[in-house]
Amino acid sequence: MRPHAAGFTWDDTWYASFDDHLVASIAGHTGGSEAYWNIAVNGVATPVGGCRFRTADGDSVAFTWTER
């Protein structure tokens, strides 16, 4: 688990083939095969993972629990 300044933890798996992380859990919530964490910037899902997407000042970033 990785600590975060806001007081919750998150965990991930690094995938070299995607050159990015897949978020496995946030604050203890995991999806397994039933759900996943989705990342959106300004209300639009990113076309690449969070490590590869550049945000700008004022962007709104949200990780949402998404069922399959």
Side-chain angles (χ1 to χ4, degrees):
M1 292 292 197
R2 300 170 189 258
H4 185 276
F8 61 87
T9 58
W10 63 282
D11 199 8
D12 71 304
T13 301
W14 172 256
Y15 287 94
S17 60
F18 295 116
D19 194 29
D20 213 333
H21 298 264
L22 174 66
V23 175
S25 69
I26 297 178
H29 298 283
T30 60
S33 62
E34 303 300 318
Y36 62 97
W37 286 100
N38 186 50
I39 182 173
V41 176
N42 301 322
V44 178
T46 60
V48 294
C51 290
R52 299 188 50 160
F53 190 87
R54 264 203 205 279
T55 58
D57 287 342
D59 281 347
S60 174
V61 178
F63 281 91
T64 56
W65 185 254
T66 306
E67 293 186 16
R68 295 186 193 269

